[in-house]
Amino acid sequence: MLENLKEIIKSRKVVVVFPGQASQYKSMGLNWYQKFDKYRQVFDYINKKIITEYKNYIDTDLFSIIENEEKLNITLYSQISI
């Protein structure tokens, strides 16, 4: 997976835009996840990192966060989701 991400970055100019907190909303990004393979690859890569490497800090996965409006309003979860 990481190799695929490296190839995406090598082959194109990549821009990452991060909106500010309070711009989050339930199910954000799921339409892109369903439509764009590259977005899905990056999302899955980040989700795997959250589950494996950051499990001591964040007790859930990214899908659970973006589907839970209450969690999305908590800074710990909204920051990682955005």
Side-chain angles (χ1 to χ4, degrees):
M1 175 60 209
L2 184 56
E3 290 305 314
N4 290 341
L5 187 55
K6 287 179 182 177
E7 288 304 311
I8 293 168
I9 293 169
K10 274 190 208 176
S11 65
R12 296 189 173 107
K13 293 181 180 179
V14 176
V15 175
V16 180
V17 178
F18 295 96
Q21 191 169 345
S23 64
Q24 71 272 15
Y25 56 92
K26 186 176 177 186
S27 300
M28 65 182 183
L30 286 183
N31 55 342
W32 282 36
Y33 186 88
Q34 294 165 351
K35 288 183 182 181
F36 303 108
D37 185 53
K38 301 302 181 200
Y39 181 90
R40 185 172 35 260
Q41 288 177 358
V42 172
F43 187 101
D44 288 343
Y45 176 79
I46 293 168
N47 194 39
K48 184 178 178 183
K49 288 280 191 186
I50 290 170
I51 294 167
T52 59
E53 295 181 29
Y54 301 106
K55 62 185 173 189
N56 292 334
Y57 305 102
I58 299 174
D59 60 348
T60 188
D61 67 297
L62 198 50
F63 286 105
S64 296
I65 295 169
I66 63 173
E67 286 297 324
N68 184 320
E69 198 165 352
E70 192 173 306
K71 276 193 175 180
L72 274 173
N73 290 323
I74 299 170
T75 299
L76 173 67
Y77 301 112
S78 62
Q79 290 291 316
I80 195 73
S81 300
I82 295 168

